[in-house]
Each structure stands twice: as structure tokens, then as C-alpha cells.
Amino acid sequence: MLDEMVRHAGEWLRGSGPMNEIVISSRVRLARNVAGYPFLSRTSENQRSELMEMLRPHVVSAAGGAAGAFLDMNAISDLDQQVLVERHLVSRNLAEGKGSRGVAISKTENVSVMVNEEDHLRIQVLRSGLQLDEIWRDINALDDKLESKIEYAFHPRYGYLTACPTNVGTGIRVSVMLHLPGLKLTGEIERVFRAARDMRLAVRGLFGEGTEAAGDFFQVSNQVTLGRTEEDTINDFRLSVIPKIIEYEQKARRTLVSERTISLDDRVWRSLGTLRHARTISSEEVMLHLSHLRLGVHLGRLKDVTIQTINDLFLMSQPAHLQKVQGARLTGEQRSIARAELIRRRLTPGMN
Amino acid sequence: MNMNCQVCKKQQATVHLTDIVQGEKQERHLCESCAQEEGVLPKAPAHVQLGELITGLVMNKTAIQQLADLSCPHCKLTFVEFRNQGQLGCPHDYDAFEKALVPLIERAHEGASHHIGKVPNRLNAPRAADDDLVRLRRELTRAVDSEQYEEAARIRDRIRRLEES
């Protein structure tokens, strides 16, 4: 499955969906635990494997039945685990964890259900663009389906019980991945983030907790999970937070086009030049330049590159994907060379 | 209040504890690293945000020792272990550590301490009073959000009456 998977981007990176010029993807995750079992910090390995065996058929069915797959994290290589992290199908926490743990993934990669992460179950649904309503509808139905088979740990006062009290209540985490090069270039991004933090939202890099923002890509997510309904949390993002950020970003982009045309074009075309000609390049540098390319395409400055190509490169140039496609383990230096070559090939006309 | 830590005598004391030992009040003043050594402050907690919350909580509590002695009868996790690892041991901990957890939960969730979201279907036939509670808590949140404090106080009182009945 993984060998096939790495050759193309998942649905959520399709570059489609509402507001896709600014919103890369939306994700909702629910944290759930099984009643009658300790949380994972206190389970024995026996209990962990018992949980996994018990949950496995249900999570596979939730992820689309036979069309989906269940991956036992202990049965796959470190590299394959890393591929799953790069595709946002498992968290770093699951990949780096120990003991029985796994993940059910739907064919489209829109659904993944992690077993024995920080909580017994972490259900997540991803889609491209801003599609939170649709995601909530899907994940709520999935949760209902699982709940008809599994008794969740639930408390009348605190709601769904989680290993960490910061997730208790709804256990919901809404994350929206945004591309904000306009705000970055006009120097207004800090102001937007300060406002987001005042609203108790977390702003992080592309790969979630503990990662720095790379190439103008950011992830905004809620922190409060108690005292608000799931719909309240979703609607905050859908109706106020994200539309506001989109509005600021669009305004910044308009300013760039009307007042800083030369410097905008210079950035876009220099980035294309670098990507087309570099002989060795790091993934951070790729992110930065792909970000400029993406901006250039959306603003109509750059016409001979497609968003699909940019999104593919975005994923394929990540360390694990690169090694998986090459079919070999590579040192950092070898990766930088292979990465430059891959990008050169995809971005040079006539070489596709 | 500027004083040195009672243990290392070097660093400035930033953690001030009041213990009641056999009816006698005892004050202790520690620096952050000695407080961590003694287990009254978390050492590099798994969750930074949670760590900050717990630190804030500990500083405000005078009856810290009482909390530290709490343990869950089911999974045997102690409150000190929870503080150190940032993870609870089992669903029963929410009741076992209730006194200590509620202020922490409220801090993490903008003052909220009651779930008003989805309820598993098997529990989905709540008594009428529960329905009212859910609705009132939602109204309370709205009133507070829109800074209608008099209205919020009225709703809060109705919630209390319902909870007591």
C-alpha cells in the first residue's frame, strides 16, 4: 500500500475545495478512550495488544472496510512510519511510540483512525480546502458508528474522558492549514497570530505540535474542548476565525500586486529559477520557494506551473517520501541532491 | 518578599508553601529547582501547556500536601505522578483527583468545567433535568461571551438550583 501511496499526493493535498488559494486543508480529530481500560500511560503491553485486537475490526470498518488498510506500526519500517507522518495520516507521537499501536487509513486518505496513540482512539478526517461542515458530518457519523460497537469512557460532567485534561469534554481538535505568504511579506502576520492566540487558538507549523512554521504554511487549531459544543468550535473556525484570516491575506495579496509588483514578481521568478536550477537543496528551502510559486500561480503571475505540481513536490520532497521513491536510504547530503534533481525534472518544461 | 530558598540557600525562593502539620502551620520557601526536586513542581512535563497550568495551580494552593497525597484507588496513580508526567492513568482519575483537577481544567478551558457537547447514544436519553442543565449551561456561556453578566448570574443561580435538586 505504501509503495503505491508515495507516488501521488493524498486527496487533502489536491489543491481543490473551497478557499483553496489560502486554505490548504482542514482536519478534525476526536480523542476517545475505551471504558474499563486504563489510559495508555498505565496500560500493560498485554492490555495494549488486547485493545488493538478489539478495536482493529471496528476502526478498519470505520475507515471504509476492505477498501481501507490497517497498519501495525511495529510491523512497518521507520521509513514507512515517517512517510505516514509526512502525509499527516499519523502523528509523530504514534510513529515514535512503543508497544502495540496502529492506524486504519481509508483509500482516499481522508480518514485515519489511530489506535493507542495518547488516547486509545484518535479519529481524524481530512479534506482539501475549507470543508469543516462536511468533515464534521463525516467524523460525527464515524464516531457514532464506532460508539455503537465500543463503550467509550464518558463522564456526565466532563464528557469524553482523555488522558490529558486539556482534551477533555468534546475531545475535538479542529486544525486548518493555511498558506499566508501575503501576510508574511507585508509583515502583518505576527499581528494576526497575536489575535488568534488571544482567542485561545494555537498557531503552529505544518506538522503540528513543536514544529516551526516553514515556507509560510501555518496550522491554526482550537485549544478549548470543554464548555463548548462541537458545532460551536467548528462554527468559530468556519464563520469567524478563518474568514477573517482569509480576508487579511487577500488584502495583503492585493497590496502586493498593486504596490509591490516588481518585488513580488522578483520573488516568484527567483524562486522558480532556484528550483529549476539548484543542484542541492534542503526541504526548508524547497518549502520557502514552493510557497512563492504557489502565490505566483494564484495571483496569475506564473502560468506555466500548476498547483497540482506544486502540491506534489511539496510532499515528494519530504525526506521519507524522497527515500521511498528512490528505494534507498540516503544521507542528508544525498537527499538534498536527489531532491534538487526531482524538482528540476518536474519544473523544467519538456522534462516531465 | 525577597528571600533565599530554604534548601539550597542560594537561589531566590519563588515557590511559597504553607503546610498544616498536626494542626501547626509551617511555611516553606523554595526556589524552582528545589521545588522540582521535592516533587511539588513538575519536572519538564510532557505537555508544556499543561505544565504551565499545573505550576500556576501549585503556586496558588496552600494545601499542596493534601493534593500531593491523593491517589486513584483504581490505577494507583498519585497526583504527584500526574504532575510529573502530564498524563492521567485512567478514567477514574477525574473523580479521584476532582478537587485538584477542576481548577486546572477550568484554566485550560476558559473557565468551563462542564461538558455541553455530544453525548454517547447509549446515554442519549437524559432526564428532563439534564436537558435543562445542558441548555442552561449553553445559555450561560453565551451570556458570558456577550458580557451580559446580570443575565449570566441569573442563569448560574438556576443551574445551581437544578444541580442541588
Side-chain angles (χ1 to χ4, degrees):
Chain A
M1 179 196 186
L2 279 155
D3 293 339
E4 174 51 32
M5 196 189 255
V6 293
R7 306 205 173 274
H8 53 84
E11 191 279 344
W12 63 272
L13 251 180
R14 215 172 44 191
S16 59
M19 300 295 165
N20 69 77
E21 292 184 10
I22 293 165
V23 182
I24 308 266
S25 64
S26 324
R27 187 195 71 160
V28 174
R29 152 305 241 165
L30 298 174
R32 298 288 187 253
N33 287 281
V34 181
Y37 280 86
F39 294 140
L40 284 158
S41 65
R42 299 298 264 196
T43 46
S44 61
E45 179 46 35
N46 271 346
Q47 284 172 317
R48 290 177 75 107
S49 61
E50 201 178 297
L51 274 163
M52 194 151 112
E53 281 322 300
M54 184 206 17
L55 293 171
R56 186 178 171 134
H58 305 309
V59 298
V60 168
S61 146
F70 186 87
L71 300 171
D72 178 340
M73 295 303 270
N74 284 333
I76 63 174
S77 68
D78 288 358
L79 188 63
D80 285 348
Q81 294 184 12
Q82 210 45 49
V83 166
L84 295 175
V85 173
E86 289 175 4
R87 298 180 84 82
H88 291 226
L89 294 169
V90 309
S91 63
R92 280 193 184 175
N93 193 20
L94 190 83
E96 287 162 10
K98 289 194 174 65
S100 295
R101 63 203 196 288
V103 61
I105 300 167
S106 70
K107 195 162 182 282
T108 55
E109 297 178 43
N110 282 28
V111 177
S112 85
V113 187
M114 288 182 263
V115 176
N116 292 344
E117 206 251 18
E118 183 180 297
D119 296 294
H120 300 150
L121 284 172
R122 289 272 173 114
I123 310 162
Q124 74 160 26
V125 175
L126 272 158
R127 275 174 181 247
S128 52
L130 186 62
Q131 300 197 58
L132 288 169
D133 265 353
E134 294 80 355
I135 292 181
W136 170 242
R137 189 193 60 214
D138 290 355
I139 202 168
N140 193 26
L142 266 180
D143 185 45
D144 285 346
K145 197 171 162 189
L146 286 168
E147 189 196 280
S148 66
K149 308 282 181 198
I150 304 157
E151 190 181 337
Y152 288 151
F154 186 87
H155 192 288
R157 174 171 177 182
Y158 304 115
Y160 292 95
L161 299 179
T162 50
C164 182
T166 54
N167 296 317
V168 82
T170 52
I172 199 172
R173 185 81 71 233
V174 177
S175 306
V176 178
M177 201 201 290
L178 297 158
H179 181 219
L180 304 173
L183 289 167
K184 192 82 177 291
L185 287 173
T186 54
E188 293 162 282
I189 201 127
E190 271 310 315
R191 210 160 47 91
V192 174
F193 289 167
R194 238 176 290 134
R197 287 189 178 113
D198 286 346
M199 297 177 69
R200 293 299 284 264
L201 301 171
V203 180
R204 300 196 176 100
L206 205 46
F207 292 96
E209 222 157 318
T211 61
E212 283 299 306
D216 318 331
F217 297 97
F218 305 90
Q219 190 177 290
V220 180
S221 50
N222 66 303
Q223 310 230 54
V224 172
T225 54
L226 191 68
R228 304 178 65 71
T229 65
E230 291 83 352
E231 287 86 355
D232 288 341
T233 304
I234 300 262
N235 284 338
D236 266 358
F237 276 82
R238 198 173 64 88
L239 303 173
S240 76
V241 178
I242 302 302
K244 207 87 212 142
I245 298 181
I246 290 175
E247 188 190 316
Y248 291 145
E249 171 66 19
Q250 279 168 337
K251 199 166 153 241
R253 289 186 186 189
R254 280 197 297 272
T255 308
L256 288 175
V257 173
S258 61
E259 291 166 25
R260 293 163 63 177
T261 324
I262 294 293
S263 110
L264 170 69
D265 281 344
D266 186 62
R267 258 175 216 274
V268 172
W269 290 97
R270 269 174 192 267
S271 284
L272 183 63
T274 302
L275 293 172
R276 270 188 182 157
H277 300 287
R279 277 353 194 212
T280 164
I281 195 162
S282 71
S283 43
E284 291 77 28
E285 201 185 345
V286 168
M287 288 278 212
L288 177 78
H289 295 307
L290 286 179
S291 165
H292 293 156
L293 252 51
R294 204 173 183 279
L295 178 69
V297 173
H298 280 309
L299 291 181
R301 319 303 296 178
L302 186 62
K303 296 207 166 58
D304 54 354
V305 179
T306 67
I307 289 292
Q308 188 61 60
T309 303
I310 295 174
N311 284 349
D312 277 355
L313 287 176
F314 186 63
L315 199 61
M316 303 305 167
S317 63
Q318 302 287 318
H321 274 75
L322 207 59
Q323 295 179 76
K324 191 80 187 159
V325 170
Q326 299 272 322
R329 297 258 169 187
L330 305 173
T331 64
E333 200 185 337
Q334 289 169 327
R335 285 204 297 272
S336 295
I337 295 168
R339 184 178 293 118
E341 199 183 307
L342 164 85
I343 293 169
R344 223 163 50 230
R345 221 174 325 113
R346 288 294 302 271
L347 287 180
T348 308
M351 276 188 73
N352 264 317
Chain B
M1 183 164 60
N2 259 338
M3 60 170 72
N4 280 354
C5 169
Q6 289 176 341
V7 176
C8 67
K9 316 253 194 273
K10 289 175 199 149
Q11 302 284 329
Q12 196 192 326
T14 52
V15 181
H16 308 283
L17 304 170
T18 307
D19 298 336
I20 310 287
V21 181
Q22 291 166 347
E24 296 244 324
K25 203 164 110 176
Q26 287 186 355
E27 289 190 359
R28 293 201 297 155
H29 308 280
L30 308 173
C31 68
E32 204 171 319
S33 60
C34 290
Q36 283 177 348
E37 282 306 312
E38 301 226 336
V40 293
L41 269 190
K43 282 185 204 175
H47 293 70
V48 178
Q49 188 208 2
L50 184 72
E52 283 166 12
L53 290 169
I54 299 172
T55 310
L57 177 76
V58 169
M59 309 283 240
N60 295 334
K61 285 284 170 191
T62 48
I64 175 67
Q65 216 53 50
Q66 268 187 343
L67 296 185
D69 288 343
L70 285 176
S71 80
C72 170
H74 292 269
C75 72
K76 314 288 181 214
L77 184 84
T78 65
F79 193 70
V80 171
E81 285 173 301
F82 163 63
R83 281 199 323 237
N84 292 341
Q85 71 186 33
Q87 301 264 314
L88 291 166
C90 79
H92 301 285
D93 292 355
Y94 280 92
D95 290 321
F97 301 147
E98 179 161 28
K99 219 194 297 173
L101 275 180
V102 167
L104 197 149
I105 286 174
E106 286 176 347
R107 260 170 214 254
H109 302 282
E110 289 187 319
S113 60
H114 287 83
H115 175 60
I116 59 166
K118 186 174 176 178
V119 170
N121 281 322
R122 70 189 157 86
L123 306 172
N124 226 345
R127 289 167 296 133
D130 288 348
D131 274 348
D132 286 346
L133 272 176
V134 167
R135 183 178 50 79
L136 285 170
R137 285 194 193 108
R138 194 190 302 231
E139 282 175 17
L140 178 62
T141 310
R142 294 233 169 92
V144 172
D145 283 350
S146 56
E147 297 182 6
Q148 294 174 313
Y149 297 115
E150 279 181 28
E151 175 67 10
R154 264 199 302 278
I155 300 171
R156 184 201 57 209
D157 293 343
R158 286 175 64 194
I159 291 175
R160 282 199 186 144
R161 276 200 299 278
L162 261 179
E163 277 178 336
E164 281 160 14
S165 65

